[in-house]
């Protein structure tokens, strides 16, 4: 038997006045998306991503369904961006997990992180898809240097772009 406690909250942060986050937190599906700040319609993009997963019709094969729903979300965002000039360049991060008694499947793109908590300790499961994340993994940047790097918010992967 497993125990899952779920909570969810978002905040615009210290830099931007508009909150571009979206989440879905109804087990077995958990998802969070963060629209790309400074780009067109970040809040629309994040809602579109999370909404696609939340409305996925069946979760018979969670591993395959998670993959398929994220591909569908990417297609929807991409199509929306090309159908309306106001949405050109929009994108979002997405981290999602599907929980069951036997397994945890997760998928991730961008820099919205996934952690597991075991015995009171948070264990990071994802790597940031960002310029700074790449520099850290290659050994060219320390974690301390990453905190103040001028490109710390530049993503190398996101949905929609």
């Amino acid at each position: 038997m497993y125990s899952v406690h779920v909570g969810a909250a978002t905040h615009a942060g210290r830099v931007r006045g508009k909150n571009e986050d979206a989440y879905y937190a109804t087990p077995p599906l958990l998802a969070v998306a963060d629209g790309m700040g400074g780009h067109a319609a970040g809040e629309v993009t994040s809602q579109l991503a999370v909404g696609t997963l939340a409305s996925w019709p069946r979760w018979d094969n969670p591993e395959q369904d998670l993959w398929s729903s994220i591909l569908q979300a990417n297609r929807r965002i991409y199509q929306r961006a090309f159908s309306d000039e106001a949405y050109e360049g929009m994108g979002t991060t997405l981290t999602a997990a599907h929980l069951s008694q036997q397994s945890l499947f997760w998928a991730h793109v961008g820099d919205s992180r996934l952690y597991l908590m075991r015995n009171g300790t948070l264990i990071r499961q994802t790597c940031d898809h960002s310029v700074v994340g790449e520099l850290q993994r290659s050994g060219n940047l320390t974690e301390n240097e990453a905190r103040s790097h001028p490109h710390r918010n530049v993503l190398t992967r996101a949905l929609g772009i």
Side-chain angles (χ1 to χ4, degrees), residues 38-108:
H39 290 265
E43 73 285 358
V44 172
T45 310
S46 62
Q47 286 288 340
L48 193 53
V50 169
T52 301
L53 272 66
S55 65
W56 198 252
R58 296 175 60 111
W59 291 93
D60 296 331
N61 180 346
E63 183 177 21
Q64 182 60 47
D65 292 334
L66 194 56
W67 175 251
S68 296
S69 63
I70 289 171
L71 288 175
Q72 177 67 24
N74 187 60
R75 279 191 294 275
R76 286 181 175 169
I77 294 165
Y78 191 76
Q79 289 168 346
R80 187 78 163 276
F82 278 94
S83 69
D84 187 332
E85 209 172 276
Y87 296 145
E88 186 177 343
M90 70 181 192
T92 188
T93 67
L94 178 66
T95 300
H98 188 280
L99 309 166
S100 75
Q101 295 246 1
Q102 298 80 24
S103 59
L104 165 68
F105 293 100
W106 56 269
H108 159 76

Side-chain angles (χ1 to χ4, degrees), residues 26 29 35 37 66 106 134 153:
T26 304
L29 180 64
L66 194 56
W106 56 269
E134 302 281 338
N153 298 323

Side-chain angles (χ1 to χ4, degrees), residues 2 5 27-28 32 36 39 44 51-52 58 68 74 98 110 126 131 149 152 155:
Y2 73 101
H5 302 277
V32 62
M36 291 170 35
H39 290 265
V44 172
T52 301
R58 296 175 60 111
S68 296
N74 187 60
H98 188 280
T126 56
V131 169
H149 194 280
R152 66 186 170 276
L155 297 176

